[in-house]
Amino acid sequence: MRRYPEIGKFTLKVYYEKDPEVRADIQKSIAKYADFKQNVKQLNFDSSQFVPGIDIEMMYNDMYWASEGYIWEKIQDEKYDVDMMERDFLKMVDFWKSIYLRKEGEHDEGN
């Protein structure tokens, strides 16, 4: 988005396309990334990294939906700031880590 801002803008507009004829095909293409069950194998993460009892699928959906909502809000003003968006996403990632990942030294009882 920094190097080729026009391509970034085009990609975001396509993602949120409103024309029903085009939207259906675009959404079908995107759907595979939104589906946790399809992506869980590709994610290849160690569930022991996470807070015990966490619903991993809900965590994934939380991140996906928050990201989607954030981007939707930002593209409403076509003068969005890529640097600010990156800072905001890094802040969200740090927040998710603070609530979903085990703290240093935590381990399951019985291990």
Side-chain angles (χ1 to χ4, degrees):
M1 289 181 79
R2 280 187 190 91
R3 186 178 289 169
Y4 304 106
E6 296 306 315
I7 293 173
K9 287 178 185 178
F10 173 77
T11 302
L12 290 173
K13 284 186 178 208
V14 166
Y15 187 85
Y16 292 105
E17 176 60 53
K18 291 182 175 126
D19 181 329
E21 289 182 34
V22 179
R23 183 171 173 74
D25 287 336
I26 292 169
Q27 291 304 311
K28 188 188 318 178
S29 173
I30 293 169
K32 62 185 171 190
Y33 300 106
D35 184 358
F36 173 77
K37 289 176 179 62
Q38 280 190 315
N39 288 301
V40 72
K41 289 178 186 156
Q42 289 178 283
L43 294 173
N44 195 27
F45 58 77
D46 177 4
S47 61
S48 69
Q49 299 176 70
F50 299 98
V51 172
I54 201 89
D55 181 333
I56 301 293
E57 184 172 1
M58 181 54 80
M59 176 189 74
Y60 181 88
N61 288 335
D62 174 52
M63 292 175 182
Y64 180 82
W65 294 331
S67 299
E68 176 117 350
Y70 176 85
I71 292 170
W72 171 253
E73 287 295 319
K74 292 301 173 190
I75 67 165
Q76 299 311 300
D77 176 11
E78 292 193 17
K79 297 174 189 135
Y80 49 84
D81 178 344
V82 174
D83 291 322
M84 181 190 66
M85 290 172 70
E86 181 181 34
R87 284 190 305 273
D88 289 347
F89 266 97
L90 291 173
K91 190 174 178 180
M92 284 194 300
V93 168
D94 286 342
F95 173 72
W96 289 324
K97 286 179 178 180
S98 78
I99 60 174
Y100 292 130
L101 291 180
R102 288 178 187 262
K103 306 300 180 253
E104 193 71 29
E106 280 184 344
H107 57 287
D108 284 333
E109 290 181 23
N111 283 344

